[in-house]
Amino acid sequence: MEFDVTQLGFGTGARAPWAADPWASRGRLFPEPVSPTRSEFQRDRDRIIHTTAFRRLKHKTQVFVAHEGDHYRTRLTHTIEVAQIARALARALRLDEDLAEGVALVHDFGHTPFGHTGEEALDALLTDAGGFDHNAQSLRIVTKLEQRYAEFDGLNLTWETLEGLVKHNGPLVAEGAGPVPEPILDYNRRHDLWLETHSGLEAQVAAIADDIAYNTHDIDDGLRSGLITLEMLEELPLLARLLSIVRQRYPKLEEPRLIHEVMRRQITEMVEDVIGVAQANIAAVKPGSADDVRHAGRTMAHFSGDFVIADRHIKAFLYRHLYRHPDVMRVRANATRIVQDLYAVFMADPGVMGDKHATTGIEDLPVDLRARKVRDYLAGMTDTYAVAAHRRLFDHTPELR
């Protein structure tokens, strides 16, 4: 997809009319005095970074659990890579970089230990209590569970950051969108996040940055693990083309450098494609404000047709060769058992959770509310702590290998 270099932002000019304006934010649920040194979106970003939930991401799985190697991505390093790409896209499109970065940094707060495996296990356990949705859990963390401030629960983030968190993948109230998780509906009753519209462009670039990041780094980690080989990449037209380009230019390049040269080109091509598509959509819609983007009726930052196909091929490739590889599936089975066992014992005897703030009065709650408390506690556990807790409680925990 071609893009107009003359329309790119480089961080030195004014924001575009379609960007979110931090000086005209819709505000926070609990009004606070403005900062004389930081914009409202800067404050959001800073609050997110200083949370317990952000620190926990360093011990949560992306694909490979921690003991399999120090160099694989964790949920934290994934988040940082997403934030870097989101900020680059926001700068190019003259958006508010702090808002895009903040949405990217907070988007995975609600993930359980052991990545999507833990989430699927917890969802199955909570069918009678509304299931489990990591976006809804992220919202609960930043609006209720993080208890740091004297005057309110949560972080009291701006409307724009919260909107981006819950709607970065599109409207939640729309035909075919499915039921909206109750934690999101509950918060929305107090602070209307316009669930029926698209999000602003800052959240849209954070969402596509997530795809770009894991499409690239999961291939990189798969190559590092040996579960994927360079020869296997030949079945992907985009990667085959990039491999050919690098090999022709550097015929004697050793494999680690070769892989990096391919990965960096993959990120660059995907980012530039999104920039071109977004520029074309902006030119067609001619939004005069961030609200015009929300009411445009379509996502404006996305892949072009060719890269939609490439993205689909990469996801199918990763699912086939990495996410469902027997070695990974063996770890997933053990992780599922750990989540199931911990949930059962926590529901039966909440005192063994070992957190007085999480367990005070929980025995007297109805089963559905007790399940919510256990869900919040278990979802917040890191891989390392979940394994240690299982070993302590059951004394026969198999290693995750």
Side-chain angles (χ1 to χ4, degrees):
M1 184 71 181
E2 298 294 327
F3 59 90
D4 186 349
V5 177
T6 66
Q7 296 299 311
L8 293 178
F10 290 94
T12 56
R15 294 177 187 82
W18 48 83
D21 183 351
W23 314 112
S25 167
R26 284 191 169 82
R28 307 175 187 273
L29 180 61
F30 302 99
E32 297 183 56
V34 299
S35 168
T37 60
R38 294 175 295 166
S39 78
E40 292 303 286
F41 302 149
Q42 283 178 282
R43 295 176 76 190
D44 281 0
R45 186 268 321 279
D46 296 347
R47 289 181 181 191
I48 289 164
I49 287 174
H50 286 280
T51 57
T52 304
F54 186 75
R55 293 193 296 277
R56 285 198 301 254
L57 295 176
K58 70 178 179 178
H59 291 304
K60 291 199 174 188
T61 294
Q62 185 64 27
V63 175
F64 297 96
V65 294
H67 79 267
E68 295 180 291
D70 291 337
H71 296 166
Y72 295 118
R73 270 73 174 189
T74 65
R75 191 65 64 175
L76 178 61
T77 57
H78 162 72
T79 294
I80 293 170
E81 291 182 35
V82 174
Q84 177 268 313
I85 295 170
R87 195 164 187 117
L89 287 167
R91 179 170 293 193
L93 297 171
R94 295 184 288 140
L95 307 175
D96 189 281
E97 297 176 39
D98 297 315
L99 177 57
E101 183 182 20
V103 173
L105 290 172
V106 79
H107 84 284
D108 270 356
F109 269 22
H111 275 292
T112 64
F114 314 119
H116 291 289
T117 301
E119 180 178 345
E120 291 164 6
L122 202 50
D123 185 52
L125 290 165
L126 292 166
T127 52
D128 294 335
F132 182 85
D133 178 90
H134 75 263
N135 281 338
Q137 190 67 16
S138 295
L139 183 67
R140 276 183 61 76
I141 289 169
V142 299
T143 60
K144 184 175 180 64
L145 301 181
E146 282 281 339
Q147 298 182 347
R148 310 173 63 83
Y149 297 92
E151 297 185 0
F152 46 78
D153 289 339
L155 307 182
N156 199 32
L157 301 176
T158 62
W159 184 93
E160 290 79 5
T161 298
L162 295 175
E163 180 225 19
L165 170 60
V166 301
K167 289 168 28 186
H168 57 271
N169 289 322
L172 297 187
V173 178
E175 185 176 351
V180 181
E182 183 56 36
I184 294 177
L185 290 175
D186 180 59
Y187 184 81
N188 196 65
R189 294 182 190 105
R190 295 179 291 149
H191 197 190
D192 186 0
L193 298 176
W194 294 12
L195 301 182
E196 70 283 356
T197 72
H198 285 266
S199 62
L201 264 169
E202 287 82 1
Q204 292 185 30
V205 301
I208 198 68
D210 189 25
D211 281 350
I212 294 170
Y214 73 70
N215 275 349
T216 307
H217 66 48
D218 284 0
I219 290 176
D220 190 22
D221 281 352
L223 288 165
R224 182 182 298 276
S225 73
L227 302 183
I228 295 174
T229 66
L230 286 171
E231 289 70 29
M232 292 164 64
L233 297 185
E234 296 288 349
E235 68 183 79
L236 296 169
L238 172 61
L239 274 298
R241 176 173 61 80
L242 295 177
L243 270 169
S244 177
I245 290 171
V246 175
R247 281 169 168 160
Q248 287 180 21
R249 183 167 183 177
Y250 308 105
K252 297 182 179 180
L253 197 61
E254 57 268 37
E255 186 168 298
R257 293 178 190 265
L258 173 65
I259 292 170
H260 177 68
E261 288 293 334
V262 172
M263 296 298 98
R264 66 191 287 257
R265 283 167 171 78
Q266 180 182 339
I267 292 174
T268 297
E269 290 205 6
M270 287 184 159
V271 166
E272 291 181 353
D273 183 73
V274 172
I275 291 170
V277 169
Q279 284 184 341
N281 284 332
I282 289 167
V285 174
K286 297 180 174 58
S289 68
D291 280 353
D292 288 348
V293 172
R294 294 184 175 97
H295 293 293
R298 55 170 159 159
T299 301
M300 298 179 67
H302 56 83
F303 292 130
S304 67
D306 287 345
F307 275 84
V308 166
I309 294 171
D311 173 65
R312 189 179 302 132
H313 286 165
I314 290 170
K315 286 181 169 62
F317 174 89
L318 287 168
Y319 189 89
R320 186 167 60 252
H321 294 298
L322 185 62
Y323 306 146
R324 288 296 181 265
H325 189 281
D327 290 351
V328 175
M329 292 302 292
R330 184 165 53 252
V331 173
R332 285 171 58 96
N334 287 338
T336 297
R337 184 165 64 249
I338 289 173
V339 172
Q340 291 170 339
D341 287 349
L342 290 178
Y343 180 81
V345 75
F346 291 164
M347 284 294 290
D349 184 5
V352 301
M353 290 194 291
D355 184 337
K356 65 179 181 180
H357 300 293
T359 58
T360 300
I362 190 173
E363 297 90 348
D364 301 325
L365 294 175
V367 172
D368 60 332
L369 295 182
R370 178 186 294 191
R372 178 179 295 181
K373 289 276 191 179
V374 170
R375 173 199 66 190
D376 290 340
Y377 181 78
L378 184 51
M381 297 176 80
T382 65
D383 297 19
T384 307
Y385 188 57
V387 170
H390 193 275
R391 187 175 293 118
R392 171 173 56 85
L393 293 168
F394 291 89
D395 201 36
H396 61 267
T397 307
E399 291 294 334
L400 284 177
R401 59 173 176 256

